[in-house]
Amino acid sequence: MASFEKAEESENLNRTDLIALLEGKALVYFATDDEENFKRMLVQLASVHRNHAFEKSVPPEVNAAFDEVLSHSPGRLSVQVQRETIFGGELLRGVVKNDVGQLVRNLKLYIRKRGRSNWQEGNETMRVLAPRGEDVEFYAIAKGPGGVDLVSLGTPEFPKRFKIGEVTSASLQPTQNKEQDSELLWFGLGAGAAALIAGSIALILYLSRSSDNTQPSIPALGTP
């Protein structure tokens, strides 16, 4: 399990690494008869990779448990940004949906007034102080173990937009994630951590076959 913990601490896992990490931990817990954590890893795996296929060498009980988890899964992770009118502007609050496995470590919001080059970063909740009708751009990213970007609403290149004080359904709706993995954002990691994970999974498969029996402050954009 130490190799998995080292990978989680690397802060630069990519999608492939995360899936291997979750599968590997699930197999460790299965091999050690830790049913609670085994199911927890499968729930997390289902939230990011519903079409995951285990190796044929994996015990059939693992596949059966994963199918059971999928049958009760609410769906993939998604991000919603809620808007609330406040004095002098609006309050934006990011919300993660379907994180039943508690995979998300934090949610980042990025906001700027349209036409500005610099993004202001905040955690989950941010104030935008601006007059009614001013254009605002934003995006949100939910981050998971190892610093991986799990899912986003908007991107720096294609942010979401709204006008202060004007309700638009597009900015209030949650992200509509499809089953394609291309709907998720992932960034890279070197081969070292991937090799650690792959090696651990190989060992776990061998063992499995041989043992059948506080409230943060709210940053504000445009503070006078």
Side-chain angles (χ1 to χ4, degrees):
M1 192 65 75
S3 61
F4 297 118
E5 294 174 354
K6 183 176 180 179
E8 288 189 53
E9 294 170 359
S10 68
E11 291 300 319
N12 59 348
L13 290 182
N14 63 23
R15 174 183 180 278
T16 302
D17 298 323
L18 178 65
I19 292 171
L21 175 71
L22 296 176
E23 177 182 340
K25 292 179 71 174
L27 293 175
V28 167
Y29 291 129
F30 175 79
T32 56
D33 294 323
D34 187 340
E35 184 174 357
E36 181 179 351
N37 282 314
F38 168 59
K39 292 292 180 62
R40 182 168 60 88
M41 290 300 103
L42 294 183
V43 169
Q44 292 186 353
L45 183 59
S47 70
V48 295
H49 199 214
R50 296 179 62 82
N51 298 324
H52 184 70
F54 291 93
E55 295 289 337
K56 293 182 179 179
S57 54
V58 169
E61 294 87 350
V62 174
N63 285 286
F66 189 60
D67 289 341
E68 177 69 15
V69 165
L70 286 174
S71 70
H72 295 92
S73 172
R76 286 196 175 202
L77 292 171
S78 66
V79 174
Q80 177 182 3
V81 173
Q82 302 170 343
R83 294 167 50 199
E84 177 184 344
T85 300
I86 59 173
F87 180 75
E90 291 196 17
L91 181 71
L92 269 62
R93 181 178 293 106
V95 179
V96 177
K97 298 292 185 178
N98 299 332
D99 188 22
V100 292
Q102 299 180 327
L103 187 62
V104 174
R105 298 296 181 262
N106 59 70
L107 176 63
K108 296 288 187 180
L109 282 178
Y110 299 86
I111 302 176
R112 70 183 178 188
K113 294 179 181 178
R114 193 170 184 181
R116 304 284 180 88
S117 58
N118 295 326
W119 292 97
Q120 181 168 347
E121 177 184 333
N123 293 317
E124 298 185 10
T125 305
M126 295 186 72
R127 292 177 293 164
V128 184
L129 303 181
R132 181 180 178 86
E134 178 144 4
D135 291 315
V136 175
E137 298 179 328
F138 74 92
Y139 66 98
I141 301 176
K143 291 182 173 289
V148 65
D149 288 6
L150 294 171
V151 65
S152 77
L153 177 63
T155 67
E157 296 79 13
F158 301 100
K160 298 295 182 179
R161 298 183 176 92
F162 68 93
K163 291 181 182 291
I164 294 291
E166 296 183 10
V167 175
T168 56
S169 59
S171 65
L172 295 175
Q173 294 299 317
T175 302
Q176 297 300 314
N177 283 318
K178 299 179 181 179
E179 287 300 312
Q180 288 80 4
D181 295 324
S182 59
E183 294 295 321
L184 304 179
L185 296 178
W186 309 96
F187 297 89
L189 168 77
L196 272 174
I197 294 171
S200 297
I201 291 176
L203 175 60
I204 294 161
L205 292 176
Y206 172 78
L207 292 174
S208 297
R209 290 195 301 268
S210 62
S211 59
D212 291 334
N213 296 323
T214 86
Q215 200 60 276
S217 59
I218 301 175
L221 176 66
T223 305

